[in-house]
């Protein structure tokens, strides 16, 4: 006789007697486990048949590493000898650590046809900060008569400049070349004869000298006054996808100034093919050369905005000119309180592109300078200078 075992379940009085020849009750199958296993198997089969096309996913599913046939080769075409030489020089300049001078200065580059109508205002701006700035004047038409000691004998050899032509870029490069001769010049500002300062010298100096990038205006305009000016004659070095537009009024670090002077390849493309009449278009070199050049060679090193305010609200070929009755404390306060940069495309959509103005990742006012101011505004600006530059 087989032994009998007793299992206590529930109350003391309820006993279940189980013999050696027990009958097990029917158990329900765990359906959720079956469904889960089926889904995993299907997922792995699909991953094998249709491999992942992202770098992160390949490390999860591929045991052979991340070598994808669908990734475009880099570069996508064979570079010309001139491109190779240009990129080597640019790479070495960018990779060379910046050498901070013990007496670092900001170089102010004035591009003017003749006299500087706001020289007295700039004299007030520079006063008391000797040794922290330098001045260079490119007077393309008439030799100016100076009233400020900071401008006397600061003219460089100049040539005629025609608006919208490569001669404008040539004048910018000429100013940079002369300013680069002084190793203490660490940041370079391009200004016109109608530009005025919006802040005091210390504010401008610190804003520029301690910035981690150059302030070069740059955006993509798909309209007729942007990509519509592109010429395929710029191929293969300059492609349509890289063509950019921006205001010419830049500020740039010394490394970037050196790159501009070292460049001959991309400059020659704009000299020859970004001008009036090529392919029946009217390409303006000073609006496209530097934005395109820096977008191609160091896009992360520029702020994609200018620090010089210009009012294009009238939608004409030239920006609004401020007259005497326009200049007030409120006007200048409004300009210095702008925290968003704005670009408008020239296509039918007239898309407004807005982005915050960042300085080393911190939101800051966009503008240090403004233009275009007429000569009759000088007295008002001199009277307001001490007030609005402390905003």
């Amino acid at each position: 006789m087989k032994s009998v075992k007793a299992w206590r379940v529930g109350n003391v009085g309820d006993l279940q007697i189980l013999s050696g020849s027990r009958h097990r009750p029917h158990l329900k199958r765990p359906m959720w486990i079956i469904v889960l296993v089926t889904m995993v198997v299907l997922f792995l089969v699909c991953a094998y048949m249709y491999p992942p096309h992202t770098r992160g996913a390949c490390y999860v599913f591929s045991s052979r590493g991340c070598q994808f046939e669908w990734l475009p080769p880099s570069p996508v075409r064979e570079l010309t000898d001139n491109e190779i030489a240009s990129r080597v020089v640019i790479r070495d300049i960018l990779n060379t650590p910046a050498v901070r001078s013990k007496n670092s200065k900001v170089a102010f580059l004035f591009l003017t046809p003749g006299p500087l109508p706001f020289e007295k205002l700039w004299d007030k701006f520079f006063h008391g900060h000797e040794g922290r700035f330098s001045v260079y004047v490119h007077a393309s038409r008439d030799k100016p008569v100076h009233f400020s000691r900071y401008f006397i004998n600061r003219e460089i050899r100049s040539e005629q400049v025609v608006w919208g032509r490569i001669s404008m870029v040539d004048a910018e490069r000429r100013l940079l070349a002369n300013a680069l001769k002084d190793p203490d010049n660490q940041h370079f500002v391009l200004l016109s004869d109608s530009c005025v300062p919006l802040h005091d010298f210390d504010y401008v100096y610190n804003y520029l000298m301690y910035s981690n990038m150059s302030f070069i205006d740059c955006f993509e305009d798909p309209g007729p006054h942007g990509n519509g000016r592109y010429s395929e004659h710029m191929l293969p070095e300059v492609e349509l996808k890289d063509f950019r537009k921006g205001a010419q009024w830049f500020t740039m670090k010394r490394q970037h100034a050196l790159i501009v002077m070292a460049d001959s390849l991309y400059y020659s493309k704009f000299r020859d093919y970004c001008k009036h009449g090529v392919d029946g278009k009217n390409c303006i070199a000073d609006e496209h050369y530097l934005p395109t050049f820096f977008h191609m060679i160091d896009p992360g090193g520029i702020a994609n905005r200018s620090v010089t305010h210009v009012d294009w609200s009238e939608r004409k070929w030239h920006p609004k000119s401020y007259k005497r009755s326009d200049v007030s404390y409120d006007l200048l306060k409004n300009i210095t309180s702008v925290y968003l940069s704005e670009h408008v495309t020239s296509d039918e959509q007239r898309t407004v592109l807005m982005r915050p103005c960042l300085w080393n990742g911190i939101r800051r006012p966009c503008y240090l300078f403004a233009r275009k101011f007429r000569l009759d505004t000088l007295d008002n600006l001199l009277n307001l200078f001490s007030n609005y530059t402390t905003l």
Side-chain angles (χ1 to χ4, degrees), residues 221-224 344-351:
D221 179 3
V344 181
T345 62
S346 62
D347 54 3
E348 293 181 356
Q349 287 72 28
R350 304 293 295 179
T351 304

Side-chain angles (χ1 to χ4, degrees), residues 91-343:
R91 181 198 64 196
D92 282 358
I93 293 175
L94 288 177
N95 290 338
T96 301
V99 178
R100 181 59 59 89
S101 168
K102 293 181 179 179
N103 185 34
S104 297
K105 296 187 293 187
V106 175
F108 292 83
L109 317 177
F110 289 88
L111 183 57
T112 175
L116 291 167
F118 298 103
E119 191 170 309
K120 290 182 179 179
L121 183 65
W122 286 105
D123 182 271
K124 200 170 185 178
F125 173 79
F126 290 134
H127 182 72
H129 302 285
E130 292 78 2
R132 302 172 68 196
F133 68 91
S134 53
V135 172
Y136 300 85
V137 179
H138 185 291
S140 60
R141 190 177 58 206
D142 302 317
K143 182 177 175 62
V145 176
H146 297 295
F147 302 95
S148 168
R149 61 192 176 102
Y150 302 122
F151 289 84
I152 294 175
N153 297 325
R154 300 311 300 167
E155 293 92 357
I156 66 169
R157 186 187 65 81
S158 307
E159 295 185 6
Q160 184 180 11
V161 173
V162 179
W163 179 83
R165 304 295 176 88
I166 195 65
S167 58
M168 186 73 77
V169 177
D170 292 339
E172 296 171 6
R173 288 162 60 97
R174 200 172 293 121
L175 281 163
L176 284 173
N178 279 271
L180 281 167
K181 292 191 294 184
D182 185 346
D184 288 337
N185 288 333
Q186 296 295 310
H187 209 100
F188 305 80
V189 183
L190 182 67
L191 300 162
S192 76
D193 56 322
S194 66
C195 283
V196 301
L198 294 173
H199 297 273
D200 61 31
F201 182 88
D202 284 329
Y203 184 97
V204 172
Y205 182 91
N206 292 331
Y207 195 109
L208 297 177
M209 196 63 70
Y210 299 106
S211 171
N212 58 14
M213 58 180 56
S214 296
F215 295 95
I216 297 172
D217 199 23
C218 178
F219 74 105
E220 184 175 10
D221 179 3
H225 301 315
N227 288 355
R229 296 171 174 173
Y230 173 78
S231 171
E232 291 187 351
H233 292 295
M234 294 184 178
L235 291 171
E237 291 86 358
V238 181
E239 302 180 49
L240 177 60
K241 66 180 180 64
D242 295 319
F243 198 66
R244 293 295 183 271
K245 181 182 179 179
Q248 72 181 105
W249 310 108
F250 61 75
T251 83
M252 64 176 67
K253 301 184 301 180
R254 187 175 183 89
Q255 283 178 312
H256 283 160
L258 289 169
I259 289 172
V260 172
M261 297 314 304
D263 174 52
S264 61
L265 173 64
Y266 300 101
Y267 164 80
S268 66
K269 292 291 182 176
F270 285 85
R271 179 196 62 204
D272 297 339
Y273 304 117
C274 183
K275 58 184 179 180
H276 179 72
V278 175
D279 298 332
K281 303 174 182 179
N282 186 26
C283 186
I284 300 175
D286 60 85
E287 291 185 0
H288 296 284
Y289 166 56
L290 288 181
T292 302
F293 177 62
F294 279 101
H295 172 73
M296 294 177 63
I297 59 100
D298 192 20
I302 62 174
N304 296 310
R305 65 179 177 92
S306 173
V307 292
T308 299
H309 174 267
V310 183
D311 186 349
W312 287 100
S313 60
E314 296 178 346
R315 305 301 181 205
K316 298 179 180 179
W317 277 104
H318 297 283
K320 176 181 178 178
S321 292
Y322 294 107
K323 56 184 181 295
R324 181 177 181 178
S325 59
D326 294 326
V327 176
S328 65
Y329 175 84
D330 289 337
L331 170 69
L332 299 168
K333 180 180 179 181
N334 289 338
I335 296 175
T336 56
S337 300
V338 174
Y339 283 81
L340 292 172
S341 67
E342 176 181 322
H343 295 107

Side-chain angles (χ1 to χ4, degrees), residues 7-57:
W7 296 79
R8 185 179 300 274
V9 179
N11 296 328
V12 175
D14 298 332
L15 293 177
Q16 181 179 358
I17 307 299
L18 301 177
S19 64
S21 57
R22 299 184 298 273
H23 294 284
R24 301 180 183 273
H26 179 71
L27 299 177
K28 292 184 178 181
R29 295 182 180 274
M31 293 300 297
W32 67 273
I33 296 179
I34 298 174
V35 173
L36 179 61
V37 171
T38 302
M39 291 178 63
V40 171
V41 171
L42 288 174
F43 181 71
L44 293 174
V45 170
C46 291
Y48 178 79
M49 296 178 64
Y50 305 99
H53 286 234
T54 63
R55 185 173 298 274

